[in-house]
Amino acid sequence: DAMVIQNPRYQVTQFGKPVTLSCSQTLNHNVMYWYQQKSSQAPKLLFHYYDKDFNNEADTPDNFQSRRPNTSFCFLDIRSPGLGDAAMYLCATSPGRFITDTQYFGPGTRLTVL
Amino acid sequence: AQTVTQSQPEMSVQEAETVTLSCTYDTSESDYYLFWYKQPPSRQMILVIRQEAYKQQNATENRFSVNFQKAAKSFSLKISDSQLGDAAMYFCAYRRRETSGSRLTFGEGTQLTVNP
């Protein structure tokens, strides 16, 4: 089945140690999003790619970076994780950026920072 | 800035009964969509239902329906004949129409428990 896949589902890293989260999709969608969802809070958009164009949210910390080497894959890099970066990270895709384009979410990666 | 508020962190319902989840939002825009997303435990978030602001008729998807009150900026979700599989976190979300795309703004969620 076509879907959004996130690996790993659970990631543990040490304070300050770079970590990369992975997202892949078989939907051939143009847009890929990364959200941060802290415990008991709303998902918050970090950035998105429209094809190869990177779109950063104004309040996303510089510590968070992203790469999209091809249509299918998108990576979230956290250069120096702090304790406050512990969260669920959700990847989503959509065919385009029209208001009617539904976003399809992956199951998320839960990041623990020790 | 747009905000979405879900004032009920937790709700519970008996199986086969009806439950209503509340959502209010704040915006100065007139052209936007509202959404309800469902996030089951350890599974991906999926779209349940959406409503276009210009449509007065409330959206319905099988057992799920909304009560959209544009003037009051209220967007509640009614789940009829609740099933055990409806247990999940439910997020209300807002998206305004922009030519270059726009973000989904989520509320903080309502955790729904369905009791057998």
Side-chain angles (χ1 to χ4, degrees):
Chain A
D1 290 342
M3 58 176 61
V4 181
I5 302 162
Q6 291 188 245
N7 285 309
R9 295 291 307 276
Y10 300 90
Q11 177 73 57
V12 180
T13 191
Q14 291 182 335
F15 182 94
K17 184 176 181 180
V19 65
T20 295
L21 308 183
S22 170
C23 177
S24 64
Q25 53 127 344
T26 60
L27 297 159
N28 203 33
H29 283 172
N30 286 322
V31 191
M32 295 188 76
Y33 305 83
W34 279 105
Y35 289 85
Q36 180 191 61
Q37 185 182 13
K38 294 187 177 181
S39 181
S40 303
Q41 294 186 20
K44 179 178 177 298
L45 182 64
L46 295 173
F47 27 60
H48 76 273
Y49 270 96
Y50 179 64
D51 195 9
K52 294 181 181 180
D53 293 333
F54 178 69
N55 297 266
N56 199 24
E57 293 297 302
D59 54 356
T60 297
D62 293 340
N63 197 27
F64 292 87
Q65 304 286 321
S66 186
R67 296 171 284 134
R68 189 179 186 186
N70 53 52
T71 300
S72 301
F73 285 87
C74 194
F75 301 99
L76 170 62
D77 301 309
I78 308 176
R79 294 192 297 186
S80 182
L83 298 179
D85 296 328
M88 177 75 83
Y89 290 88
L90 302 173
C91 175
T93 74
S94 66
R97 294 189 297 187
F98 291 118
I99 194 170
T100 52
D101 285 322
T102 299
Q103 292 189 20
Y104 295 83
F105 285 82
T109 294
R110 183 167 296 282
L111 178 67
T112 300
V113 182
L114 301 178
Chain B
Q2 294 81 28
T3 58
V4 178
T5 302
Q6 293 178 249
S7 59
Q8 307 154 316
E10 298 177 350
M11 291 281 286
S12 63
V13 64
Q14 292 296 126
E15 195 176 4
E17 295 190 348
T18 296
V19 65
T20 299
L21 309 183
S22 301
C23 173
T24 58
Y25 60 96
D26 187 25
T27 184
S28 58
E29 304 290 332
S30 59
D31 189 2
Y32 54 87
Y33 273 63
L34 296 164
F35 307 84
W36 279 98
Y37 279 85
K38 170 185 177 182
Q39 188 178 38
S42 301
R43 297 182 63 185
Q44 59 258 57
M45 189 149 50
I46 58 173
L47 178 65
V48 174
I49 198 167
R50 68 183 182 192
Q51 174 80 40
E52 183 177 359
Y54 275 115
K55 289 190 176 178
Q56 294 186 346
Q57 185 174 4
N58 289 322
T60 300
E61 290 286 344
N62 300 315
R63 298 182 295 106
F64 298 87
S65 61
V66 299
N67 183 4
F68 174 49
Q69 302 290 327
K70 191 172 184 179
K73 296 180 182 174
S74 170
F75 182 62
S76 61
L77 175 68
K78 185 172 82 171
I79 307 174
S80 304
D81 186 24
S82 296
Q83 301 175 0
L84 295 177
D86 295 334
M89 180 72 86
Y90 285 82
F91 290 98
C92 178
Y94 163 99
R95 190 177 192 189
R96 71 181 186 187
R97 189 184 299 275
E98 287 187 44
T99 54
S100 62
S102 62
R103 71 177 71 176
L104 272 172
T105 299
F106 287 91
E108 295 193 347
T110 296
Q111 183 69 51
L112 178 66
T113 301
V114 181
N115 300 310

